[in-house]
């Protein structure tokens, strides 16, 4: 049934004195820019790339397809505190409305981006610094409630100096009110996206701006709770270069991606596409080998060498070869972005999926930058964040594993490496969506298992999976790392052995070394076949099956006989 919404309100036409100027001074590079040229580039300086502020109406016009409607919002004219600084608060509101043509510091609309439905709330810094007051909090909450009622993704565009001081404690309460509205969207399984523009501080940064599923930022946009001047004065330290900018925050795991203004529509459309449920493209082809007797016999050490051979497809290779509209997500939202862990959203043969996987690197120079594929605690927390998003949106999880193990450094231990792995195991054991894990190269110990507690565990024909590396086992038990081949044989790390033990459910045939397209085709067929079967099961049955799968390992009797 189609919902009937209130009639759209007219689009505000705000006064812009700078529109009459022929030339504009870029405040970033001091270049004189032809005003019409600046407007044609969505207010991005053609000389230095600085993103000049957009008004809320301009922002909506830039992002939304033609035919969007402004949502009506209540704008109370109450001055509960009777606040007066250099002028009474009602006078400040009246001046802001006259100067901007807006009723308040946010403008809400319903429309589409690249054909995908979305509810948008865009803030306007010109209106009292984009401050969060009762009217703004009410508008944001109403937009969230519209998104919940219509099951439409919500996009929040932030530009704010923080809570509105003239409204005192009532402004502070808007942080709770809007956060509560975002939580309801979590419970409803509705995608939320935050777009950070410059600047976003205080109560907005500490509530709805950073509570969304995906956080996108414009280049150079600043985000933080306290402003840099307050921080510097409080702690008496020189702040690092680029502090609180989008680039700094991406490195420190707070935001997911940076999108220049000219690429924003495309980036947002790709994200919104996963909130839809398109039909499977084509019929799945069963390529898996499920009988160990059909696999050739060979020494397990040969498999170890093959699994480590440089030039095998990486998680990112598979992501770009298999997934349409793939968007990589970054950061653990706490402290760091681990480059050894890849997470993202995309569509596999038309099915929206969440991808997690380890990344060793494509080139010798990339290997150390990726930490040789050994994730830190931040990497496992990033993967957990992506998997929780999959659970919220009801999307299957595809996990690709190629790691010698979790990073064993001092910093990793200080940051809780064991806890991060354990938390992932607990999360996966109850994640209410289909999960398929594939060991594509090395599957090393708990660092691999943290991504592989799945409904179906597959491995490539030349992959290996073990409790410890053969060299580590040989050094401990034989006191000789040179006995690694002997250890590999004893550990039975190869695909044939593991399929026979029931540790993996199927083996993906290997293509010729270096043929990434053929490898991706085989893997894609295996994944689609597994996911289609798992998606036909109800959640309770699938979770019970997953539990029984791992419950059976080491049990002294068939699982059906265990009380």
């Amino acid at each position: 049934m189609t919902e009937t919404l209130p009639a759209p309100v007219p689009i505000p036409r705000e006064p812009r004195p700078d529109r009459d100027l022929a030339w504009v001074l870029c405040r970033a590079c001091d270049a004189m820019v032809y005003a019409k040229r600046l407007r044609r580039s969505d207010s991005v300086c053609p000389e230095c790339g600085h993103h000049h502020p957009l008004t809320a109406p301009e922002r909506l016009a830039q992002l939304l397809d033609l035919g969007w409607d402004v949502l009506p919002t209540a704008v109370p004219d109450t001055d509960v505190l009777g606040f007066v600084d250099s002028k009474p608060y009602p006078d400040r509101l009246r001046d802001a409305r006259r100067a901007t043509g807006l009723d308040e510091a946010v403008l809400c609309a319903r429309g589409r981006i690249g054909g995908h439905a979305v509810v948008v709330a865009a803030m306007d810094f010109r209106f009292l610094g984009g401050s969060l007051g009762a009217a703004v909090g009410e508008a944001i909450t109403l937009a969230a409630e519209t998104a919940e009622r219509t099951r439409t993704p919500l996009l929040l565009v932030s530009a704010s100096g923080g809570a509105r001081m003239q409204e005192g404690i009532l402004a502070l309460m808007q942080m709770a009110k809007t956060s509560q509205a975002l939580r309801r969207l979590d419970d409803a399984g509705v995608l939320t996206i935050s777009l950070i523009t410059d600047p976003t501080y205080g109560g907005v940064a500490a509530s709805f701006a950073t509570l969304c599923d995906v956080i996108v930022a414009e280049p150079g946009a600043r985000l933080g709770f306290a402003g840099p001047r307050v921080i510097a004065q409080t702690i008496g330290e020189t702040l690092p270069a680029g502090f609180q900018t989008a680039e700094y925050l991406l490195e420190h795991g707070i935001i997911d991606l940076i999108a220049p203004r000219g690429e924003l529509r495309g980036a947002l459309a790709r994200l919104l596409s996963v909130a839809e449920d398109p039909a499977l493209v084509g019929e799945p082809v069963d390529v898996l080998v499920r009988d160990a007797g059909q696999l050739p016999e060979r020494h397990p050490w040969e498999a170890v060498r093959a699994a480590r051979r440089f030039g095998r497809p990486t998680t990112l290779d598979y992501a770009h070869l298999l997934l349409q509209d793939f968007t990589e997500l970054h950061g653990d939202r706490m402290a760091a972005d681990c480059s050894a862990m890849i997470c993202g959203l995309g569509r596999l043969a038309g099915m929206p999926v969440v991808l997690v996987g380890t990344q060793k690197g494509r080139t010798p120079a990339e290997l150390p930058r990726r930490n040789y594929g050994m994730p830190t605690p931040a990497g496992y927390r990033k993967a957990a964040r992506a998997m929780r998003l999959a659970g919220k949106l009801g999307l299957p999880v595809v996990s690709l594993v190629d790691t010698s193990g979790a990073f064993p450094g001092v910093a990793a231990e200080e940051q809780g490496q064991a806890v991060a792995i354990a938390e992932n195991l607990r999360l996966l054991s109850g994640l209410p969506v289909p999960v398929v894990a594939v060991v594509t190269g090395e599957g090393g110990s708990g660092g691999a298992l943290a991504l592989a507690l799945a409904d179906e565990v597959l491995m490539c024909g030349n992959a290996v999976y073990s409790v410890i590396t053969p060299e580590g086992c040989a050094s401990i038990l034989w006191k000789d790392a040179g006995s690694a081949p002997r250890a590999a044989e004893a550990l039975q790390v190869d695909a044939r052995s593991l399929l026979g033990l029931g540790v993996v459910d199927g083996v993906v045939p290997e293509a010729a070394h270096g043929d990434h397209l053929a490898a991706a085709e085989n893997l894609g067929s295996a994944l689609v076949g597994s996911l289609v079967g798992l998606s036909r099961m109800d959640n309770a049955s699938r979770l019970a099956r997953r539990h029984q799968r791992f419950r059976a390992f080491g049990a002294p009797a068939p699982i059906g006989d265990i009380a």
Side-chain angles (χ1 to χ4, degrees), residues 58-112:
E58 287 172 339
R59 180 68 67 179
L60 295 178
Q62 181 234 345
L63 291 178
L64 294 173
D65 301 346
L66 294 176
W68 50 276
D69 296 322
V70 173
L71 294 177
T73 54
V75 183
D77 275 321
T78 56
D79 178 19
V80 176
L81 302 182
F83 196 97
V84 178
D85 46 83
S86 59
K87 65 170 65 174
Y89 178 43
D91 291 351
R92 288 197 177 279
L93 285 173
R94 185 170 55 252
D95 292 345
R97 288 167 181 160
R98 184 183 301 116
T100 64
L102 298 174
D103 291 327
E104 255 296 344
V106 66
L107 187 60
C108 302
R110 191 180 185 190
R112 294 181 177 272

Side-chain angles (χ1 to χ4, degrees), residues 115-154:
H116 305 289
V118 66
V119 174
V120 186
M123 301 189 73
D124 197 314
F125 195 79
R126 299 170 307 146
F127 197 107
L128 298 182
S131 50
L132 176 60
V136 173
E138 179 68 11
I140 296 289
T141 301
L142 286 173
E145 290 171 348
T146 299
E148 180 186 358
R149 187 171 61 254
T150 60
R151 301 199 61 78
T152 304
L154 175 68

Side-chain angles (χ1 to χ4, degrees), residues 213-358:
D213 299 316
V214 181
I215 302 178
V216 185
E218 288 190 330
R222 293 167 294 169
L223 168 71
F225 183 57
R229 194 181 331 175
V230 173
I231 295 172
Q233 291 174 351
T234 301
I235 65 176
E237 294 181 6
T238 301
L239 300 179
F243 183 66
Q244 293 184 327
T245 62
E247 295 73 15
Y248 183 92
L249 296 170
L250 183 66
E251 179 184 351
H252 288 81
I254 305 302
I255 66 173
D256 286 290
L257 65 145
I258 299 172
R261 197 167 286 167
E263 301 173 11
L264 261 178
R265 273 178 51 85
L268 294 173
R270 287 192 295 274
L271 289 168
L272 292 170
S273 71
V274 303
E276 299 177 349
D277 190 20
L280 176 69
V281 179
E283 289 295 323
V285 178
D286 188 10
V287 299
L288 286 173
V289 177
R290 296 186 183 271
D291 180 359
Q294 296 179 6
L295 295 172
E297 292 189 38
R298 62 173 175 170
H299 197 285
W301 183 245
E302 293 181 19
V304 173
R305 296 177 64 187
R308 293 173 176 174
R309 188 180 301 166
F310 194 71
R312 292 175 64 84
T314 67
T315 292
L316 278 175
D317 290 326
Y318 284 125
H320 294 300
L321 289 170
L322 287 176
L323 301 185
Q324 301 86 44
D325 295 330
F326 175 68
T327 300
E328 185 177 355
L329 305 181
H330 293 271
D332 64 352
R333 294 275 175 93
M334 292 177 62
D337 178 47
C338 174
S339 59
M341 186 70 75
I342 300 298
C343 300
L345 300 165
R347 288 179 290 114
L348 173 66
M351 293 186 297
V353 299
V354 168
L355 174 72
V356 298
T358 54

Side-chain angles (χ1 to χ4, degrees), residues 106 121 123 130-132 136-137 140-141 154 156-160 174-182 192-196 200 202-215:
V106 66
M123 301 189 73
S131 50
L132 176 60
V136 173
I140 296 289
T141 301
L154 175 68
L156 300 175
V157 185
S158 299
S160 176
Q174 303 311 307
M175 295 173 62
K177 177 177 178 175
T178 54
S179 298
Q180 181 175 263
L182 267 290
T192 56
I193 304 172
S194 175
L195 173 57
I196 304 298
T200 299
V204 169
S207 58
F208 58 85
T210 51
L211 285 179
C212 292
D213 299 316
V214 181
I215 302 178

